[in-house]
Amino acid sequence: MSLRFHPDDAAKLGWISKADAAEIKSKNRKSKTAVSARGASANRVDPQKILFDALCVRLPGWPEWEKEGLIPGRKFRADIFIHPNTIIEFDGFRYHSSKTAYQKDRDRGNLFEAAGFRVFHSYAKMVFDEALLAGFVELVASTVELQTSNLTAAVAAGG
């Protein structure tokens, strides 16, 4: 799931520069604007992608985009997956605005947890606030690194 913004709106909010907004719009004028599966224009800022890119900088080669098949027999997709068992879910009002949608998301999260995954939750404001983004990325990265070093130590000790 993702939340998307028009380049002009993102520039007004200070998330990207006016020059970047103009470049994005120029590229989309030159080619047909792609439409995502949810119908949103491809020329919008995607906070999930920004978070993914930040995680890729901090943990190069580890994050995977919208990973499917993590729970056998379930058609769930994790927004971001980091091997061996970390999932980052991008939560937003757009997709969780109804009671039913919220409940289904909790059920899905519980199934991920029961299957042994560690689930972190993110939201748009966290991504667009540099301090919140940096803190969240560091929290996830340090947790993954600690878990990995603990697994490596256990294997080395024969356990």
Side-chain angles (χ1 to χ4, degrees):
M1 93 188 53
S2 62
L3 178 67
R4 298 172 191 259
F5 291 87
H6 189 275
D8 290 336
D9 295 333
K12 285 177 190 173
L13 292 167
W15 298 335
I16 62 174
S17 70
K18 289 182 181 181
D20 288 341
E23 182 181 342
I24 291 168
K25 292 188 319 186
S26 172
K27 286 180 182 177
N28 285 324
R29 276 190 218 112
K30 292 176 185 173
S31 64
K32 292 183 179 180
T33 302
V35 176
S36 73
R38 292 193 173 91
S41 294
N43 66 343
R44 301 196 183 266
V45 176
D46 183 348
Q48 181 179 319
K49 179 72 168 105
I50 293 169
L51 174 59
F52 178 78
D53 290 345
L55 287 163
C56 286
V57 168
R58 180 61 178 77
L59 295 167
W62 289 27
E64 295 181 48
W65 180 260
E66 298 188 345
K67 178 79 171 172
E68 295 180 348
L70 294 172
I71 300 177
R74 299 284 183 160
K75 293 186 178 185
F76 293 149
R77 174 188 45 83
D79 293 335
I80 300 171
F81 173 68
I82 302 173
H83 185 78
N85 71 342
T86 301
I87 292 173
I88 295 101
E89 288 293 287
F90 204 90
D91 298 330
F93 181 75
R94 179 177 179 188
Y95 298 101
H96 302 98
S97 59
S98 74
K99 182 178 179 180
T100 303
Y102 178 82
Q103 290 169 337
K104 283 183 180 181
D105 192 62
R106 297 293 77 81
D107 291 342
R108 186 172 155 246
N110 289 339
L111 288 170
F112 275 133
E113 291 280 346
F117 293 96
R118 175 172 288 147
V119 181
F120 290 90
H121 295 272
S122 183
Y123 50 92
K125 182 179 179 181
M126 179 188 292
V127 171
F128 294 125
D129 180 305
E130 288 183 35
L132 291 175
L133 175 61
F136 183 73
V137 167
E138 188 56 35
L139 173 68
V140 171
S142 62
T143 302
V144 168
E145 289 168 341
L146 178 62
Q147 177 185 16
T148 303
S149 67
N150 288 343
L151 288 172
T152 303
V155 168

